[in-house]
Amino acid sequence: MSATRPFAVVTGASTGIGLELAKRCAREGFDLLIVADEPAIEDAAALLRGGGASVEALNADLATTEGVDAVYRAVNGRPVDALLANAGRGLGRAFLDQDFANAKRVIDTNITGTVYLIQKVGTDMRRRNAGRILITGSIAGFIPGSFQAVYNGTKAFLNSFAFALREELRDTEVTVTCLMPGATDTEFFRRADMLDTDVGTTEKDDPAKVAADGFEAMMSGTGDVVSGIKNKVESAAANVLPAELLAGQHRKMAEPGSAKS
């Protein structure tokens, strides 16, 4: 990796939005450390290298402090110009029917691992007074997520955390941007066991477009971006509608067995 090229770390980069974010970083001249908790991260690295980017891949469990420590060791003291904290995990079905180990893994991946990595890398950015942080939140964070209760709760945390951290860093040259997509055409719904739901089977947003919106907002230092007109309308409505009504609406989308025939 070159000392003269900017350096980006992208988590959850094996597929979906994370891979598209890594592709955009590569096209914009970044050297990359890409991370995911599956061997497919090596395939993603090969794809990115095929486009001429300098890419290091790491298979690490970002639900654990040990996994995050491995990421930080792989940074190896290099200045991180951009941290794209995208790793996330979903989980469908009623909370009381879920295996708690699976629910805990969602919390540990989406919240604990994410904030731990941001603190480690962000501390170095603040010391240098330079850097960009992109956090993948979600419009789901605005909505009580019936049959996705833990997932939506983690995204509510991330949306809030991103704005709070941005304010704390207001007087520095470190920027924080929250990307808030809606339902996107990725592996998310299959992995979350939601293919028998309405939201799991309807048309979804293009992950490349979502990633482009997030990358451009990060580079411009914008505080947040909701990707897609439909999602902008939904997020605006969620800010004024009663929580009970929103929870009922979400049930129609996410309750198992409600998929359209």
PDB file of all heavy atoms in Angstrom, residues 78-95:
ATOM      1  N   ARG A  78      -1.178   2.947  10.410  1.00  0.00           N
ATOM      2  CA  ARG A  78      -1.365   3.817   9.249  1.00  0.00           C
ATOM      3  C   ARG A  78      -2.483   4.823   9.520  1.00  0.00           C
ATOM      4  O   ARG A  78      -3.503   4.474  10.130  1.00  0.00           O
ATOM      5  CB  ARG A  78      -1.726   2.983   8.014  1.00  0.00           C
ATOM      6  CG  ARG A  78      -0.603   2.140   7.474  1.00  0.00           C
ATOM      7  CD  ARG A  78      -1.081   1.167   6.430  1.00  0.00           C
ATOM      8  NE  ARG A  78      -1.874   0.089   7.026  1.00  0.00           N
ATOM      9  CZ  ARG A  78      -2.360  -0.943   6.332  1.00  0.00           C
ATOM     10  NH1 ARG A  78      -2.167  -0.999   5.017  1.00  0.00           N
ATOM     11  NH2 ARG A  78      -3.053  -1.894   6.947  1.00  0.00           N
ATOM     12  N   PRO A  79      -2.332   6.049   9.071  1.00  0.00           N
ATOM     13  CA  PRO A  79      -3.422   7.018   9.232  1.00  0.00           C
ATOM     14  C   PRO A  79      -4.643   6.570   8.421  1.00  0.00           C
ATOM     15  O   PRO A  79      -4.538   6.325   7.215  1.00  0.00           O
ATOM     16  CB  PRO A  79      -2.846   8.321   8.664  1.00  0.00           C
ATOM     17  CG  PRO A  79      -1.364   8.126   8.674  1.00  0.00           C
ATOM     18  CD  PRO A  79      -1.137   6.665   8.452  1.00  0.00           C
ATOM     19  N   VAL A  80      -5.785   6.440   9.075  1.00  0.00           N
ATOM     20  CA  VAL A  80      -7.019   6.070   8.391  1.00  0.00           C
ATOM     21  C   VAL A  80      -7.709   7.351   7.945  1.00  0.00           C
ATOM     22  O   VAL A  80      -8.144   8.158   8.767  1.00  0.00           O
ATOM     23  CB  VAL A  80      -7.947   5.246   9.305  1.00  0.00           C
ATOM     24  CG1 VAL A  80      -9.258   4.948   8.599  1.00  0.00           C
ATOM     25  CG2 VAL A  80      -7.259   3.959   9.745  1.00  0.00           C
ATOM     26  N   ASP A  81      -7.801   7.545   6.655  1.00  0.00           N
ATOM     27  CA  ASP A  81      -8.453   8.740   6.127  1.00  0.00           C
ATOM     28  C   ASP A  81      -9.969   8.609   6.152  1.00  0.00           C
ATOM     29  O   ASP A  81     -10.674   9.614   6.308  1.00  0.00           O
ATOM     30  CB  ASP A  81      -7.979   9.000   4.694  1.00  0.00           C
ATOM     31  CG  ASP A  81      -6.484   9.297   4.647  1.00  0.00           C
ATOM     32  OD1 ASP A  81      -6.094  10.412   5.032  1.00  0.00           O
ATOM     33  OD2 ASP A  81      -5.717   8.397   4.254  1.00  0.00           O
ATOM     34  N   ALA A  82     -10.460   7.372   6.017  1.00  0.00           N
ATOM     35  CA  ALA A  82     -11.901   7.153   6.034  1.00  0.00           C
ATOM     36  C   ALA A  82     -12.202   5.803   6.676  1.00  0.00           C
ATOM     37  O   ALA A  82     -11.632   4.783   6.278  1.00  0.00           O
ATOM     38  CB  ALA A  82     -12.475   7.193   4.623  1.00  0.00           C
ATOM     39  N   LEU A  83     -13.071   5.819   7.661  1.00  0.00           N
ATOM     40  CA  LEU A  83     -13.583   4.595   8.275  1.00  0.00           C
ATOM     41  C   LEU A  83     -15.050   4.474   7.888  1.00  0.00           C
ATOM     42  O   LEU A  83     -15.871   5.321   8.250  1.00  0.00           O
ATOM     43  CB  LEU A  83     -13.449   4.646   9.796  1.00  0.00           C
ATOM     44  CG  LEU A  83     -14.163   3.519  10.560  1.00  0.00           C
ATOM     45  CD1 LEU A  83     -13.614   2.153  10.175  1.00  0.00           C
ATOM     46  CD2 LEU A  83     -14.063   3.740  12.064  1.00  0.00           C
ATOM     47  N   LEU A  84     -15.359   3.423   7.147  1.00  0.00           N
ATOM     48  CA  LEU A  84     -16.739   3.183   6.728  1.00  0.00           C
ATOM     49  C   LEU A  84     -17.254   2.010   7.558  1.00  0.00           C
ATOM     50  O   LEU A  84     -17.013   0.842   7.238  1.00  0.00           O
ATOM     51  CB  LEU A  84     -16.804   2.907   5.228  1.00  0.00           C
ATOM     52  CG  LEU A  84     -16.377   4.106   4.346  1.00  0.00           C
ATOM     53  CD1 LEU A  84     -14.865   4.107   4.108  1.00  0.00           C
ATOM     54  CD2 LEU A  84     -17.089   4.099   3.008  1.00  0.00           C
ATOM     55  N   ALA A  85     -17.931   2.338   8.659  1.00  0.00           N
ATOM     56  CA  ALA A  85     -18.385   1.347   9.631  1.00  0.00           C
ATOM     57  C   ALA A  85     -19.744   0.826   9.185  1.00  0.00           C
ATOM     58  O   ALA A  85     -20.792   1.339   9.585  1.00  0.00           O
ATOM     59  CB  ALA A  85     -18.451   1.967  11.022  1.00  0.00           C
ATOM     60  N   ASN A  86     -19.704  -0.193   8.366  1.00  0.00           N
ATOM     61  CA  ASN A  86     -20.902  -0.674   7.692  1.00  0.00           C
ATOM     62  C   ASN A  86     -21.364  -2.044   8.187  1.00  0.00           C
ATOM     63  O   ASN A  86     -22.499  -2.444   7.913  1.00  0.00           O
ATOM     64  CB  ASN A  86     -20.635  -0.734   6.177  1.00  0.00           C
ATOM     65  CG  ASN A  86     -21.729  -1.418   5.415  1.00  0.00           C
ATOM     66  OD1 ASN A  86     -22.793  -0.849   5.168  1.00  0.00           O
ATOM     67  ND2 ASN A  86     -21.497  -2.676   5.034  1.00  0.00           N
ATOM     68  N   ALA A  87     -20.523  -2.766   8.898  1.00  0.00           N
ATOM     69  CA  ALA A  87     -20.880  -4.128   9.309  1.00  0.00           C
ATOM     70  C   ALA A  87     -22.183  -4.126  10.093  1.00  0.00           C
ATOM     71  O   ALA A  87     -22.385  -3.307  10.989  1.00  0.00           O
ATOM     72  CB  ALA A  87     -19.768  -4.727  10.159  1.00  0.00           C
ATOM     73  N   GLY A  88     -23.060  -5.040   9.744  1.00  0.00           N
ATOM     74  CA  GLY A  88     -24.333  -5.118  10.441  1.00  0.00           C
ATOM     75  C   GLY A  88     -24.977  -6.471  10.232  1.00  0.00           C
ATOM     76  O   GLY A  88     -24.667  -7.194   9.282  1.00  0.00           O
ATOM     77  N   ARG A  89     -25.884  -6.785  11.126  1.00  0.00           N
ATOM     78  CA  ARG A  89     -26.560  -8.077  11.081  1.00  0.00           C
ATOM     79  C   ARG A  89     -28.032  -7.859  11.393  1.00  0.00           C
ATOM     80  O   ARG A  89     -28.370  -7.033  12.236  1.00  0.00           O
ATOM     81  CB  ARG A  89     -25.924  -9.008  12.117  1.00  0.00           C
ATOM     82  CG  ARG A  89     -26.394 -10.443  12.070  1.00  0.00           C
ATOM     83  CD  ARG A  89     -25.602 -11.274  13.062  1.00  0.00           C
ATOM     84  NE  ARG A  89     -24.207 -11.347  12.692  1.00  0.00           N
ATOM     85  CZ  ARG A  89     -23.679 -12.228  11.847  1.00  0.00           C
ATOM     86  NH1 ARG A  89     -24.466 -13.133  11.279  1.00  0.00           N
ATOM     87  NH2 ARG A  89     -22.394 -12.225  11.575  1.00  0.00           N
ATOM     88  N   GLY A  90     -28.902  -8.582  10.709  1.00  0.00           N
ATOM     89  CA  GLY A  90     -30.331  -8.468  10.949  1.00  0.00           C
ATOM     90  C   GLY A  90     -30.896  -9.733  11.561  1.00  0.00           C
ATOM     91  O   GLY A  90     -30.241 -10.778  11.592  1.00  0.00           O
ATOM     92  N   LEU A  91     -32.133  -9.646  12.032  1.00  0.00           N
ATOM     93  CA  LEU A  91     -32.807 -10.801  12.613  1.00  0.00           C
ATOM     94  C   LEU A  91     -34.300 -10.545  12.602  1.00  0.00           C
ATOM     95  O   LEU A  91     -34.783  -9.585  13.206  1.00  0.00           O
ATOM     96  CB  LEU A  91     -32.325 -11.041  14.045  1.00  0.00           C
ATOM     97  CG  LEU A  91     -32.858 -12.297  14.741  1.00  0.00           C
ATOM     98  CD1 LEU A  91     -32.391 -13.558  14.011  1.00  0.00           C
ATOM     99  CD2 LEU A  91     -32.406 -12.335  16.193  1.00  0.00           C
ATOM    100  N   GLY A  92     -35.020 -11.415  11.895  1.00  0.00           N
ATOM    101  CA  GLY A  92     -36.467 -11.279  11.833  1.00  0.00           C
ATOM    102  C   GLY A  92     -37.170 -12.146  12.860  1.00  0.00           C
ATOM    103  O   GLY A  92     -36.549 -12.817  13.674  1.00  0.00           O
ATOM    104  N   ARG A  93     -38.490 -12.103  12.831  1.00  0.00           N
ATOM    105  CA  ARG A  93     -39.399 -12.890  13.676  1.00  0.00           C
ATOM    106  C   ARG A  93     -39.575 -12.249  15.055  1.00  0.00           C
ATOM    107  O   ARG A  93     -38.887 -11.321  15.425  1.00  0.00           O
ATOM    108  CB  ARG A  93     -38.975 -14.354  13.765  1.00  0.00           C
ATOM    109  CG  ARG A  93     -38.792 -14.949  12.365  1.00  0.00           C
ATOM    110  CD  ARG A  93     -38.687 -16.436  12.294  1.00  0.00           C
ATOM    111  NE  ARG A  93     -38.531 -16.821  10.878  1.00  0.00           N
ATOM    112  CZ  ARG A  93     -39.534 -17.012  10.040  1.00  0.00           C
ATOM    113  NH1 ARG A  93     -40.785 -16.895  10.469  1.00  0.00           N
ATOM    114  NH2 ARG A  93     -39.320 -17.315   8.776  1.00  0.00           N
ATOM    115  N   ALA A  94     -40.574 -12.757  15.764  1.00  0.00           N
ATOM    116  CA  ALA A  94     -40.945 -12.162  17.049  1.00  0.00           C
ATOM    117  C   ALA A  94     -39.814 -12.321  18.063  1.00  0.00           C
ATOM    118  O   ALA A  94     -39.186 -13.384  18.149  1.00  0.00           O
ATOM    119  CB  ALA A  94     -42.218 -12.820  17.583  1.00  0.00           C
ATOM    120  N   PHE A  95     -39.578 -11.290  18.831  1.00  0.00           N
ATOM    121  CA  PHE A  95     -38.460 -11.289  19.774  1.00  0.00           C
ATOM    122  C   PHE A  95     -38.502 -12.469  20.731  1.00  0.00           C
ATOM    123  O   PHE A  95     -37.481 -13.137  20.969  1.00  0.00           O
ATOM    124  CB  PHE A  95     -38.443  -9.975  20.564  1.00  0.00           C
ATOM    125  CG  PHE A  95     -37.442  -9.983  21.685  1.00  0.00           C
ATOM    126  CD1 PHE A  95     -36.088 -10.014  21.422  1.00  0.00           C
ATOM    127  CD2 PHE A  95     -37.867  -9.977  23.003  1.00  0.00           C
ATOM    128  CE1 PHE A  95     -35.157 -10.041  22.449  1.00  0.00           C
ATOM    129  CE2 PHE A  95     -36.941 -10.004  24.045  1.00  0.00           C
ATOM    130  CZ  PHE A  95     -35.589 -10.038  23.761  1.00  0.00           C
TER     131      PHE A  95
END
